[in-house]
């Protein structure tokens, strides 16, 4: 082989030998290229992570009027106005997928959701709150404790009977190991995610709910015990309440009102 290469490089080949060497080189190169192409066709690359969502054509998007109508029809609907009928798993998964498509700086995607499903699980969730407050009663003012008990009583009277799911909302303070953004940016990302969830819920016939800030149980909400329950291990992770969802009682209607948007906009 090496002797042939030395002979090839010496320039002593006849015209016939040179032409033969050229043809063999072309044939060999094309053979290698064909094998590479065939391998790519037979063994396409396997993606370990989800592929990006394809761009949606404008023809498949709702009109601006339909989009605005959906946004304007969104309502915060309290548990007392829910019927106790459950959303299907597919419906809940749809609103969670919508929540996952919120804007997120540097693609940190800090939202974290824990879904409490059904009346028994909702009762357990409320029991956990009550146990925590009882165990930590010495560190809680009497006024705060009494307020918690009053709110808990109201939740117990409606949530297990009327609510389909409670989606507890968490925020991973540093969702990616190499990126830690300002906290306000991550809170805004989670809030945008919750708005997506709420709009998707509004699109489901007869469905509704509201974002409970959990201020009435804020001491438990902000505790490490709550973070542990949600799988949030960092002390800087946040719990931002829960979204309470269900099916609306038949015949219920809800009005909405906003002041003129032009009062809140300045053009430069």
């Amino acid at each position: 082989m090496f002797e042939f290469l030395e002979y090839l490089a010496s320039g002593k080949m006849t015209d016939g030998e040179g032409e033969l060497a050229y043809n063999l080189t072309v044939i060999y190169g094309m053979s290698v290229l064909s094998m590479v192409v065939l391998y790519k066709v037979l063994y396409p690359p396997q993606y370990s992570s989800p592929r990006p969502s394809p761009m949606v054509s404008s023809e498949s998007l709702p009109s601006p009027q339909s989009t605005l109508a959906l946004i304007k029809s969104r309502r915060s609907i309290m548990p007392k106005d829910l019927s106790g009928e459950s959303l299907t798993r597919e419906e809940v998964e749809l609103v969670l997928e919508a929540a996952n498509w919120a804007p997120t700086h540097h693609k940190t995607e800090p939202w974290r959701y824990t879904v409490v499903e059904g009346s028994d699980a909702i009762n357990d969730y409320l029991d956990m709150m009550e146990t925590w407050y009882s165990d930590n009663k010495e560190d809680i003012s009497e006024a705060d404790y009494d307020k918690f008990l009053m709110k808990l009583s109201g939740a117990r009277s409606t949530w297990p009977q009327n609510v389909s799911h409670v989606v507890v909302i968490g925020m991973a303070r540093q969702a990616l190991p190499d990126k830690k953004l300002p906290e306000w940016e991550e809170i805004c990302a989670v809030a945008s995610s919750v708005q997506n969830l709420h709009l998707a819920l509004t699109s489901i016939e007869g469905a509704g709910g509201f974002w409970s800030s959990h201020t009435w149980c804020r001491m438990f909400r902000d505790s490490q015990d709550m973070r542990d329950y949600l799988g949030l291990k960092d002390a800087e992770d946040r719990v931002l309440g829960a979204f309470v969802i269900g099916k609306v009682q038949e015949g219920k209607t809800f009005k909405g009102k906003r002041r003129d948007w032009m009062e809140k906009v300045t053009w430069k």
Side-chain angles (χ1 to χ4, degrees):
M1 180 66 179
F2 290 109
E3 291 177 357
F4 172 73
L5 292 175
E6 290 177 0
Y7 179 63
L8 188 65
S10 68
K12 297 179 180 179
M13 290 188 299
T14 65
D15 292 342
E17 291 173 331
E19 184 178 357
L20 177 62
Y22 173 79
N23 291 336
L24 288 174
T25 301
V26 172
I27 292 171
Y28 177 75
M30 292 299 294
S31 299
V32 171
L33 178 61
S34 298
M35 286 189 289
V36 171
V37 172
L38 183 62
Y39 179 83
K40 291 289 188 181
V41 171
L42 294 178
Y43 304 99
Q46 301 297 316
Y47 295 92
S48 58
S49 57
R51 300 186 185 188
S53 177
M55 293 296 291
V56 180
S57 66
S58 59
E59 290 79 8
S60 64
L61 292 174
S63 68
Q65 293 78 15
S66 296
T67 303
L68 183 58
L70 173 65
I71 293 170
K72 293 173 74 171
S73 63
R74 182 204 58 78
R75 297 288 182 272
S76 292
I77 300 174
M78 299 298 109
K80 67 180 179 61
D81 296 315
L82 301 177
S83 67
E85 182 183 351
S86 295
L87 276 77
T88 66
R89 177 62 65 91
E90 290 75 18
E91 288 171 332
V92 177
E93 289 178 350
L94 182 145
V95 301
L96 291 171
E97 182 178 5
N100 194 48
W101 281 96
T104 167
H105 194 193
H106 288 297
K107 295 181 172 60
T108 56
E109 303 177 25
W111 45 85
R112 298 292 183 269
Y113 294 107
T114 298
V115 182
V116 183
E117 184 175 30
S119 58
D120 289 343
I122 292 171
N123 265 320
D124 291 343
Y125 180 68
L126 297 175
D127 286 344
M128 177 177 61
M129 288 184 186
E130 185 172 19
T131 299
W132 188 92
Y133 266 81
S134 178
D135 291 345
N136 294 273
K137 188 174 182 179
E138 293 182 357
D139 302 321
I140 303 170
S141 71
E142 184 176 353
D144 283 342
Y145 194 81
D146 289 344
K147 184 176 181 180
F148 163 73
L149 290 179
M150 182 182 67
K151 290 287 189 178
L152 178 67
S153 176
R156 284 198 182 280
S157 69
T158 53
W159 289 26
Q161 296 82 6
N162 295 8
V163 171
S164 173
H165 296 73
V166 174
V167 182
V168 189
I169 304 161
M171 184 200 80
R173 180 66 188 89
Q174 186 169 0
L176 298 177
D178 59 335
K179 292 184 176 71
K180 188 173 185 179
L181 304 185
E183 185 181 42
W184 74 267
E185 292 187 6
E186 302 296 58
I187 292 173
C188 288
V190 175
S192 297
S193 175
V194 175
Q195 174 75 343
N196 278 11
L197 183 156
H198 201 169
L199 290 173
L201 185 68
T202 303
S203 74
I204 298 172
E205 185 176 1
F210 84 110
W211 183 356
S212 166
S213 66
H214 275 24
T215 302
W216 56 277
C217 58
R218 65 185 180 280
M219 298 186 74
F220 172 63
R221 178 198 65 191
D222 297 337
S223 70
Q224 187 58 52
D225 292 318
M226 179 58 141
R227 289 192 291 273
D228 289 342
Y229 171 72
L230 302 179
L232 301 171
K233 300 303 182 183
D234 193 315
E236 291 189 78
D237 292 344
R238 299 279 295 273
V239 181
L240 302 177
F243 206 96
V244 181
I245 65 178
K247 289 295 185 74
V248 181
Q249 294 177 22
E250 190 173 351
K252 288 274 187 177
T253 58
F254 307 92
K255 295 181 179 180
K257 184 179 180 180
R258 291 292 185 273
R259 296 185 303 277
D260 196 314
W261 65 267
M262 291 186 286
E263 298 175 10
K264 305 155 194 170
V265 177
T266 301
W267 299 84
K268 298 288 188 182

